[in-house]
Amino acid sequence: MDTASPRTAVVAELYTHAARDNRYVGNLAPMPGVFPDYPAPVVRNTDTGRELSMMRWGMPPPPRTGGPSVTNIRNTSSPHWRGWLKPENRCLVPFNSFAEYAPGPNPETKKKDVVWFALSDDRPLTAFAGIWTTFNGDRGTKSKPVPGPHQVYGFSRQRRTRWSNRSIRKTCR
């Protein structure tokens, strides 16, 4: 895969400008990856311009189903996501690799394995289209809850996310 693709260049430009313009995040140290419920850098637009902000990965689940936070938004036609699909809640989630737990336990260890994802072995910078919000509940573990509010995000791994592609092109003009 060509790591110098136009999309990679656009993401790198957005990430660089957002990091430079945000005095609160500063020069971030390298991160080994992005894990659910851990802070990670997110690029979003604000009233004062583009901003790089640290947010926790995982959106609130639908109230009637409850459960853990939602990291990957697959059904954007669901009424639960509708309010957050507006431009003010859209973001880019830059990454070069990320991990998720496997859906079921490993038969040998009886624990869920960590599964890593990247575009290639070179781990070039890229981004997912995402949405973000402020969550006022507890995050963290049950034994060490961290009270809110928290800024949280989730992303769409759909092959094409039209609103993100338009936003990227519009922002880079």
Side-chain angles (χ1 to χ4, degrees):
M1 173 171 281
D2 179 14
T3 59
S5 71
R7 182 182 169 110
T8 301
V10 167
V11 171
E13 179 183 347
L14 287 171
Y15 188 75
T16 301
H17 287 297
R20 181 190 66 218
D21 295 342
N22 187 343
R23 64 189 170 116
Y24 299 107
V25 175
N27 193 9
L28 292 172
M31 299 174 70
V34 176
F35 293 90
D37 206 37
Y38 281 79
V42 174
V43 179
R44 64 181 175 176
N45 287 320
T46 68
D47 293 338
T48 58
R50 196 173 304 116
E51 171 182 85
L52 180 67
S53 182
M54 297 298 286
M55 298 185 191
R56 283 181 177 263
W57 182 16
M59 294 287 285
R64 71 170 194 247
T65 60
S69 59
V70 178
T71 56
N72 301 322
I73 297 136
R74 293 179 175 92
N75 182 8
T76 55
S77 62
S78 165
H80 178 67
W81 304 116
R82 201 170 293 145
W84 293 315
L85 295 176
K86 298 173 186 165
E88 58 266 26
N89 290 92
R90 297 174 188 168
C91 62
L92 286 175
V93 183
F95 73 95
N96 56 20
S97 65
F98 70 96
E100 291 183 353
Y101 288 104
N106 179 321
E108 294 175 16
T109 65
K110 310 292 188 235
K111 295 181 180 181
K112 290 184 177 183
D113 291 331
V114 174
V115 180
W116 283 92
F117 300 87
L119 289 181
S120 69
D121 290 341
D122 295 342
R123 297 177 44 192
L125 181 64
T126 189
F128 281 118
I131 57 175
W132 72 274
T133 192
T134 300
F135 175 67
N136 291 312
D138 290 346
R139 294 301 293 264
T141 64
K142 289 180 182 177
S143 63
K144 295 182 183 178
V146 180
H150 302 279
Q151 291 187 338
V152 297
Y153 71 92
F155 55 71
S156 173
R157 291 196 330 204
Q158 295 175 353
R159 184 160 175 78
R160 302 278 297 170
T161 304
R162 287 189 184 135
W163 55 261
S164 174
N165 291 338
R166 279 196 305 266
S167 298
I168 289 171
R169 284 195 298 270
K170 183 178 179 183
T171 303
C172 294
R173 285 185 185 163

